[in-house]
Each structure stands twice: as structure tokens, then as C-alpha cells.
Amino acid sequence: MHKKTKILLCSVGISLMLGGCSGMNSANNNQKSEKSKETQAAPSEESLISVQDYTGEGYALPYGKETDKIADESLDEIEEAAIKFFKEKYKTDVTVHNVVGAKDGATVFVESKGEPHFYTYAVVPIDELEKKVMTEKIWADEFQVENAIKGGLYHMIFNEEFKQLDDYLETLAAEGQVTGKTKDTLQNVGGHGYMTPYYFIALTSKEEAIKPVYDLYISNPDESTENLRNVYDEGAFNPENFKINIQLFMAEKQAEPSEEIFNQVTKELEEMDSIPKGTYSFALNDNFIDKQSSEGAKDNSLKRGFPDYIIKE
Amino acid sequence: MDTLKGSPNINTDIAANNDKDLVELAGLHAYTYPLFESVLQVNNTDYTVIDTRYEDPTGLDAMTVVNMETEEISIIYVGTDASGKYGNKDILTDAQLLSDLTPAQLAAARSYYTEMNQKFNQVGGVKSIAGNSLGGGLVGAVAVENPEVNAVTLNPALLPEGMVDPNQTYDNITNYFSSYDVLTQTLIALDLHGRIPGKQYEIFNGIPEFSKLATNHTGYLRNEDGTQFYVIGEVGKPGYGKIYVDADAHIVSSIWTGVPLYGGHSERIEINKENLDLLASSLQNHVTERLNLAHEYLGNSVAIVDDEANRYYERLSRLQKIFEEMFENLISEPLFMGITSISNRLTAEIDHLVSLLNVAESHAKSLNYILNSPPAELLEHIFRTNVSVESIFNEIRSFLYDLKADVQDLSKSLIRIISNKIPELFEGGKELWYDAVVSELKAHYGIVNNNRDKLLSHISEYQKQVQDVAANFHDRDLSLGQSIRSKSSHSNSISVQGTNTYKLEDSPYMELRMKIKEFQMDTAYTAFTRSTHALLLPLLHKAWVITLNIENALELLSSTIKGATKFALDYTIPGKLFGLFSDFDDKIRNSVNNALEPLDEFAGTIEGIRKGLDRLMAEYPTLLENFRPYVETAIFNNSGYYNVHLYNLASIAILREMEMLFDDVVYQLGHHKAEAIEALCEVSKKVKGNMGILYEQVDRGTIN
């Protein structure tokens, strides 16, 4: 419901909500970031925000200041174009959450409606000189969108296994020491495929097992989960090509990433055998997230990743 | 790069990561803030982001990626936003700021490198670093201190003074400067590029337009379908097409090792079946693909030229119409409307003046009649008076006829200018074409087109030869081995694609390159100015003199009429006597008025004509000035002409790159003992030679 209101307000163009969407506060942020660029060595404390408070506000892409303004004036048009684009090209209904100015265009953050569930983005080219939004030329990084859909399909057909993982992470968060990204963040500046507050799925181009599932889904978006599951090519699966990237934050603002929790989680992840097969990475961050990039991993983060992944075969 | 794989004797140390991938990561992906552990696809290779640093207090933005094929690790330093408030100034500011204000960020970049290098020490450490813009500056700062790391930049910022040792060569650093990048070009102009350490190579991507500033700088743009191109021309019009600008596609690297070829040749490889196969497949795929793109560009140039040629009459008649309108509107004098046609308003007006003159004359005659028939009472006082104006009337009449003839001459001259002199603006060139610039380009492209087809055939034949040699190499080796073992002689039939001669035709055209238009414009317009001056000005002047004469004669006429009657009325007899015969002097006065009245209108018109002529003479140079841009567009549509230049520029960039590639092929195939390789080397030299010829020919179609 909340989501819907937001979209409605966005499209109505109420400036306050526009701010939430992209306009107002990215302008604010841009001023800040511009200042920091100009002085080069600006302190970045102000670029960090508590993960619980972050909604994607402040996210800004380089070279996006002008395009952001131009995009703001055509939000309805952009939204319409993005919905049409995903419907036509990927047979998927999406909700548009946010539009952020970027170089030569605007990045449109979308979320699929229903299953398979995923977040991704499209790009609407903008002619800065003509101040023109070229919605007819909307495009998306095929690799990224396909991966997003494939990740969503994975989640769909391995629902059971993912439930194990989700339950585990939710229980962990419920204990109060760690937390994840807010839903708003995922919606507004997520865009990385299948995402939950605690992790996102990444596939390499070598991941073949899901390919027949993807093909079947694209040829018939209404195919039953069971049928989709049936065409999954188990034999082609290589955990290296299917990555689940877990990222948790300390729930308290002052807390440094806890070694104890980090060790506990990595140990438990290593031990669990009913969670989805694949390559797991894990980062435990302090409480803060970088506004502009929406990245939580930092210098002090405790990380388990390349080359020492947790692999579930 | 797929060429890296499956080749046994490749020196992977030279390029830890392919420069192309690094450039794309730095110029494109770095600007999208990929998340920790996300996967990116670059030139069909997957990269995983294994560390990010976006929140550093110094403003440093960087990420560490691993190439999932080779497991090699690279740091990508993110550049700054150059499209900020001050556009290109920002880029310069970046560079300048870097000189004294940001050692903190440089230090952060260095420590990030050290940190990552240690962190991933177990898996080989950081093999390469890359960055664009400010990111490139950071790369330089790291790489000067770490000669073991392979560093690649695209349009980098310069380093603070004193950081680069002029006596060192910094062979580990490769900088790519885009031809139209403002930052690096400015640094070169200011002679500051010495503060960018390492090798500096120009890559020919981008488009020389101010609006493309930011893109030329980052080497990438976000465009439809993620492809990197600019749209040229207008939809539905000839020459509508794309020019691809992605920086990495313009980096020329060895077919065998993937090493960029700017600094010379790749390291000697062994010429064996695998490597010959690699050459053949690269020729078939990469080289042909690039050349096809070059040909697509050329095709668009040709389409533009053909279109101009087809529209010759349209361009000509538009220009004629414009001249006509300009001349008629040059002075806002309605009398001169339609002067560019034989039956015009002015000649009609002159006829009207003749009739006015006739009216005046008849009134003058009746005046004489009245003067010569005074009432009897006055006769004794009056010496018969005659207002003698006949000769003046005749003179004016003859002036009017002269004027009419002159105006007709003027119209004829204008018609001659429009129908003869304007077409002459187009004429000239090598073969005295009637549409010089377009025809010369067309003639040139006739040859270039032919040559590009020959070159393609040449390359595909060459590719076949390489393939055949590779196959025979292998077969022969096998069968020789077998022969030796089985002690039986083995006859081999060798079939290799024969060598044909592909001699590219010389083009005698476009010797002035794209200056031909300028040249045509200057010579033809000077001639036009001169000849139209010569045609028009004497006529205008003559007419002007005639009008002056008419005005003088009119003056004389009216004073004669007035003078004579005044004399008659005022001096010959006492005035009061006339009062007695009031009717008579009224008659005289009326008659005088009647005679003078048409002359007033007459004089007004003549004055108007004279002033009009005056202004025409004075304003004609202005007309020529205003007319010039129209001529320029008519000779060859300006934007079309510029687009031809852009396409040709894009096309020669590729030809230049392919020539570089073949240079390396010749080098690798050279000095081999095997006859077959020698022979292949000869052919590749010829292919390279032909590429050079085509390059030179296409280059003639660019402005510089």
C-alpha cells in the first residue's frame, strides 16, 4: 500500500515526494558532492548514514546533475516508458520506484510485480543540450536484467532452500544485534537483481543451469513454478557461477562490526546444508551506509569473499 | 579477449588484464558504483567486484575487481564528475586542484593499493590498476611508486609537480588519450603532459564536438542498448547512421598476445598452426568486423554525397530564388519589385511617366494657345509670347526612353546573373564540373568504394591463405611423421589459396581535401562578386545619371513655363489692366497649373527611382555578404558536409588501427625460415600497403 501511494505521489509530481523519488534531495546531495569534489578532500562523514535511516536518498551517479533535473520534469513519461519496456522486452510487469540522473541519461530503478521477484534498472537516454528525455530509446543492460530475472527464478524454484536462508537471516536480525538494508533502499536504489534486506543474488555469464528455466519463462511468463523447476538443468550447475552475497549491518550506531557475530555467521553458513547451493560471500558492516553509492561494505567491514568464499555444492 | 584463450605461448605477464577491459571498467562501469561482490560483464568477460571504497574521507572512490577468467585482480579508481556546474572548466580544475590540494587523496589511493595487494597476496596480488580522469591521476600516483603494477589510464589528470621523474620512462604505465578529450589535449597544449607518467598513446575515439565533451573524456556514453554510438544525421535522410565511440574498441592490441600495439610490436611468438589459426580467425572476425564498420561509415558518407548530387537542381534553383528575393528586397522601394523580370513594374512606371509627360505637354500647348490669343483689348499691349518648351519635353522623353532601355538592360543583367552567374558558383574543380564540390567528392568516392571492396577481398583471400597454410602445416607435419615411421614415401597435395593482385586505384581527386569547399567558395564567390559588379553597377550608375538629367530638365521645364507666363503677366502690361479682364489671367494661371501638375507627380517618381538606384549601388555589397552563407550551403549542405567529415574521421580511425594491427602481423611473420610464412608475410605487407592507400584516400575526406 505504502509503495502504491508513493508511486501515485511520484507521478502526481508533488514536489515533496519528488524529493523522495529523486529530485529534491539528489539536488541537495549533488550540491554537497559537488562541493566535496571541488575541494577534493572533503570529509565524508556526512556521506554516511545509518542503514536504518537510509532510503536511497542521496544516491547520485556521476555526471548526473543536469540529467537529474531534466528527468524530473518527465517522470510520468519515463515511468510509462519503463513499464512498457519491461513488459515488451522481458514480459514482466514492473513498478518504477526511482529515477536518478546519470551520465547521458537517467537510471530508472524498477521492481518486478510478483514472481519472479527482482529489482533492476533501465536507462533512459537524455540529451542534455536539448533538454530532452528520449523515452523511446530506453534500454537496459541485458546482462544485468537477465541476471536479475534468473536470480528471481532461482528464488522461485528453490523456494524451500531460500526459505531456510531467509528464516536464518531473519531470526538473526530479530535477535537485535544485526540488521539489513531497508525495503525503501532496495526499491529506490537497489537494482541488483533478486535482493532482500540481507543479500542479493549475482550470476556469472557461465551459469547455464537456469538457462532453460529463463527461456521457458520468457516464452511463457505464466508457466507454473513446477514446470519451471522441471526444466532446471541440475547437471549444468556449478556453484562458482551462482553467488549469494550476504551483507549485514550492526544494528547500533556506535557498534563496530562484531568479530564474534561474523565468526558465528560464517560458521553457521558453512554448516547449513539445506540452504541453496552456490557461492556465498558475507560482509558484516558497521551501522553506516554510503549515501551516494548505497554501498555498506567499508574499510572496517569484516568480509568473507574472494578468494575464500563459502561454497555450497 | 577471446584471443587470449587457447593459445599456448602467450606471455600473460605483459598485460595482466586486457587494456580494453580496464579502459571500459574505468570509463564506464566505475561510474555506476557496482556493489561489493556484484558481477560485471566487460567485453564478454565476467568481473566480480571484490572490494569497494566509496566512502573514503579524502574523496577517494575505488573498487577492486577480479577477472573471473584469469583470476587476475585489478583496482579501478573512479574519476570525478566533469559535467558539474562549469562543464569543461571543471575538468581543468580537477587537473589543477590535483597539483596541490589533494595529496591526501593520492596517499589514500596508494594505501588502498597496498592494502588490496596485501589482502589478495595469496592469489597473486593486484596485477593492474586503471582509471579515467581524476582516477587516471590516482593511477599514475600509485604506479610511479609501484613499477611492478600494470597501470592503464584513459584521459588521465596530471600529477602534482615533482612527482614524476623526467628521467624515468615508467614503462608499467600506459595512458590512452582520446583525440578529442579536452583535459588531455589541454594538458598537451599547456605542455603539462610531462606530468602524466608513462607511455602516452592517442586513440581515435570520440567526436570533435563541444557537446560531446564529457563523453569524449570518459570514453563512454550511456546509450540505447548500452551501445556506444552517436547518431549522425536525421532519421530518414541519407547518411543517417551511427558512429561508435567506445574507447576500448579503439585500442589496438596484438592478435596473439592482446598486448596493445602502440609502443611497437608484440613480443615474438612462435608461428605454428595454433597461432596461424588465431590469425585467421581474428582476420575473419575482428578485422573484418572493424573494416565493415569503417565501410559502413564510408557508405554513409557516400550516401550524403550522392544525395547532394541528386539535389543539384534543387540546390541551384533555391539559390537562384534566394538571390532574386534578396535583390528585390534589398531596398524597400516598391517600384523595384519584380526588377528581375523583363516586364517589371519599373518599366511600366516609366511608360506611365511618358504619358504624364504627354499630358503636361498638351497643357503646355494649350497655354501657348491662350497666351497667343489674348482678348482684343489687350492685344495692343501684348507682344505675342510663346512658352518654348517643346525641345525640353522632347529631351525628357528621350531620357525616359533611355532610362527604360537601361532598366530593361538591368533586368536582363539580373536574369543573366540568376541563370548564368549563379550556376557558375557551383562550377569548377578538377574536371570543370558543373557541381564542383559534390562531383569531386563523388568521383573520389567512386574510386574509394572500389578500393575498399578490393581491400576486403584482399583480406578475405589473405585470411583463406593463412587458414590453408595453417592446415597444411599441420597435415604435412603429421604425414611426414608417418612417412618416416612407415618408411613409405608420401605424396602430399598442397592446396593453398593462390595470390591475386589487388592493386588499389589512385585517386586524382580531393587533393585539397575537404578544403575544396572553402576553395570553391572563395574562388567562385570572388568571381561572382566581380562579374556581377561589372554587370550591374555601370547600368545602375547610368540610370542614376539619367534620372539626374531628367530632374534637371524638369527643373528647367517648370521654370520656363512659370517664367514665361510670369513675364507675360507681370511685366509686359500693367497688372491692373489684367484685372479688368480677369477671365484671361485666370485662364493662364489654370493652364500653367494644369501643365505643372503632372510634372509634380513625375518629379516625385523620378526622385524615387534615383534614390532607389542610389541605394542599390550602395547596398549591393551588403547583399553579397548576406548571400554568401546561402551559397555555402548550396554548394554542399553544411551539416551534410560536416557529417561526411565525421564519418570519414571515424572510418580512418579504424583504418589507422587496422594498419597498426597489420604492422604487427608483418613483424610476427617476418624473418621466418619457412617459405610459406615468408610468402604470407609478403601478402600481409601488401594488405597493409593497401590499407595505407585506402587510409590516405579516406583521410582526404576530412577537414583538418
Side-chain angles (χ1 to χ4, degrees), chain B residues 203-253:
Chain B
I203 53 170
F204 316 117
N205 71 307
I207 282 192
E209 269 177 35
F210 185 76
S211 61
K212 311 292 189 269
L213 207 82
T215 304
N216 285 339
H217 185 54
T218 61
Y220 292 89
L221 75 159
R222 299 182 92 199
N223 213 337
E224 197 174 355
D225 232 3
T227 44
Q228 305 287 325
F229 59 78
Y230 283 117
V231 173
I232 305 294
E234 287 171 49
V235 190
K237 299 237 171 98
Y240 170 71
K242 301 160 180 170
I243 291 180
Y244 294 86
V245 296
D246 42 342
D248 65 304
H250 287 271
I251 294 177
V252 186
S253 48

Side-chain angles (χ1 to χ4, degrees), chain A residues 185-200:
Chain A
T185 302
L186 304 184
Q187 291 179 339
N188 289 334
V189 297
H192 274 78
Y194 183 84
M195 301 182 98
T196 77
Y198 313 107
Y199 65 87
F200 70 94

Side-chain angles (χ1 to χ4, degrees), chain A residues 91-155:
Chain A
K91 304 207 174 150
T92 306
D93 289 312
V94 298
T95 302
V96 176
H97 286 293
N98 193 7
V99 179
V100 180
K103 187 170 171 291
D104 305 313
T107 298
V108 186
F109 288 95
V110 304
E111 179 184 5
S112 69
K113 287 181 178 167
E115 296 267 23
H117 187 246
F118 60 87
Y119 300 94
T120 191
Y121 61 88
V123 178
V124 177
I126 290 175
D127 188 328
E128 254 183 71
L129 286 184
E130 303 270 315
K131 298 209 179 298
K132 220 176 84 198
V133 177
M134 295 177 275
T135 44
E136 74 285 357
K137 292 194 175 160
I138 186 167
W139 63 274
D141 182 331
E142 248 170 72
F143 177 74
Q144 297 294 342
V145 179
E146 273 185 30
N147 276 351
I149 297 175
K150 285 174 180 171
L153 288 168
Y154 249 110
H155 183 262

Side-chain angles (χ1 to χ4, degrees), chain A residues 30 34 36-45 47-48 59-66 89 100 102-107 121-123 125-126 128-129 136-144 147 181 190 192 195 200 202-206 240-241 243 245-247 281-283 290 292-300 303-307 309, chain B residues 27 29-41 44-46 48-61 66 68-69 71 73 78-86 90 93-94 97-98 101-102 104-105 115-116 119-120 122-123 132-134 210-211 214-227 230-231 240:
Chain A
N30 273 331
E34 182 184 282
S36 75
K37 300 291 186 205
E38 276 168 9
T39 54
Q40 295 301 329
S44 68
E45 280 81 49
S47 78
L48 293 175
Y59 186 85
L61 292 161
Y63 298 86
K65 199 168 73 180
E66 284 305 313
K89 182 142 191 207
V100 180
K103 187 170 171 291
D104 305 313
T107 298
Y121 61 88
V123 178
I126 290 175
E128 254 183 71
L129 286 184
E136 74 285 357
K137 292 194 175 160
I138 186 167
W139 63 274
D141 182 331
E142 248 170 72
F143 177 74
Q144 297 294 342
N147 276 351
K181 288 182 177 177
H192 274 78
M195 301 182 98
F200 70 94
L203 284 79
T204 75
S205 57
K206 302 258 163 23
E240 271 182 31
N241 298 323
K243 297 162 47 114
N245 302 313
I246 302 172
Q247 202 175 73
S281 73
F282 172 47
D290 179 52
Q292 180 162 349
S293 62
S294 88
E295 176 59 277
K298 289 178 287 297
D299 205 7
N300 64 354
K303 295 178 203 163
R304 177 84 184 260
F306 178 86
Y309 293 108
Chain B
H29 299 279
Y31 290 116
T32 63
Y33 294 124
L35 288 186
F36 175 57
E37 287 295 344
S38 57
V39 177
L40 309 168
Q41 202 180 35
N44 290 323
T45 302
D46 290 340
T48 300
V49 179
I50 54 174
D51 195 78
T52 57
R53 182 66 49 89
Y54 300 143
E55 80 315 328
D56 197 87
T58 64
L60 172 76
D61 280 345
V66 59
M68 292 174 83
E69 303 284 331
E71 301 243 311
I73 294 168
V78 185
T80 41
D81 187 343
S83 74
K85 213 160 56 188
Y86 301 106
D90 242 23
T93 318
D94 259 356
L97 280 175
L98 194 61
L101 284 180
T102 56
Q105 199 175 125
E115 193 189 315
M116 288 300 113
K119 183 172 174 184
F120 298 111
Q122 299 294 319
V123 281
N132 166 231
S133 189
L134 176 64
F210 185 76
S211 61
T215 304
N216 285 339
H217 185 54
T218 61
Y220 292 89
L221 75 159
R222 299 182 92 199
N223 213 337
E224 197 174 355
D225 232 3
T227 44
Y230 283 117
V231 173
Y240 170 71

